[in-house]
Amino acid sequence: MRILLAAIFAMSGAQAQAHEIWIEKDSSGPARIYLGEPDYPTPEGGDKEFHRLRAPQVFQTNAKEVIPVVRRSDHLEANISGKGDIRLRDDDIFAPEMGEDGKYAARIYYAKAGRAEIAPKLDFEVVPLEPGGSTFQILFQGKPTPKEGVRIIRPDGWLKNIKSDQNAQFTVPTDISGRYLLFVDHNEAVNRQLDDKAVSKITHVTTLTFVQP
């Protein structure tokens, strides 16, 4: 069942234009992978940028065991066997773009569905402190990133912006049943050549979805 958004929330222009990748997985059926703006209702036929979601690296515990995906009208599907969290990584969505400072910036996307595992498998990941718990920690390359902004969308469409603490931890109020969606960005200063462009910043974008019984 898609995440229901009951209202449109006032946000900054940058946030309103942001695209994320997220995974939805129920107790049965395939995992569904979306690219879009989850703060807003998805247009019929999918987000206008959905065509950019071509071949994400989808896996469970081993990044080398990539799970194939099937394209649908507004999402990708991955047939997942067994239990466990589902993850993906994609660095081929948007080309590096020049900012107001005249320097290029790139984005790398990560996503996870589930909160059973407490050890990260992605470079940038939100992990629960205990399996199935509601307190999480944000890890970049295995290390905590304190004071990160976190956006939370509840099953009823209620949205809240919070910050992680000095230990990169935060707690989600899971007082209603359904699917929760979390977003976190982390900026990394770099000096790399990507797509023949000198990139000075990479924004790592990670999402986590989980179902509260």
Side-chain angles (χ1 to χ4, degrees), residues 25-91:
K25 181 70 170 71
D26 300 320
S27 57
S28 61
R32 302 174 302 281
I33 303 163
Y34 296 91
L35 170 67
E37 298 177 274
D39 307 277
Y40 300 93
T42 302
E44 185 176 353
D47 187 271
K48 64 180 181 180
E49 304 290 357
F50 173 59
H51 66 280
R52 299 181 182 275
L53 185 60
R54 294 176 286 267
Q57 180 188 19
V58 182
F59 66 97
Q60 288 191 277
T61 57
N62 188 343
K64 295 182 178 179
E65 297 178 358
V66 177
I67 300 168
V69 297
V70 176
R71 181 169 293 274
R72 304 301 184 193
S73 62
D74 64 349
H75 67 279
L76 304 181
E77 284 186 358
N79 286 317
I80 306 297
S81 60
K83 298 180 179 180
D85 297 339
I86 305 153
R87 298 172 173 86
L88 70 76
R89 181 185 188 276
D90 199 323
D91 60 2

Side-chain angles (χ1 to χ4, degrees), residues 3 6 18 22-23 30 49 52 55 61 71 78 86 91 96 107 110-111 114 125 127 161 168 170 185 191:
I3 297 171
W22 71 96
I23 306 170
E49 304 290 357
R52 299 181 182 275
T61 57
R71 181 169 293 274
I86 305 153
D91 60 2
R107 297 170 75 85
Y110 312 84
E125 188 169 330
V127 298
N161 293 294
F170 64 95
D185 294 353
N191 182 13

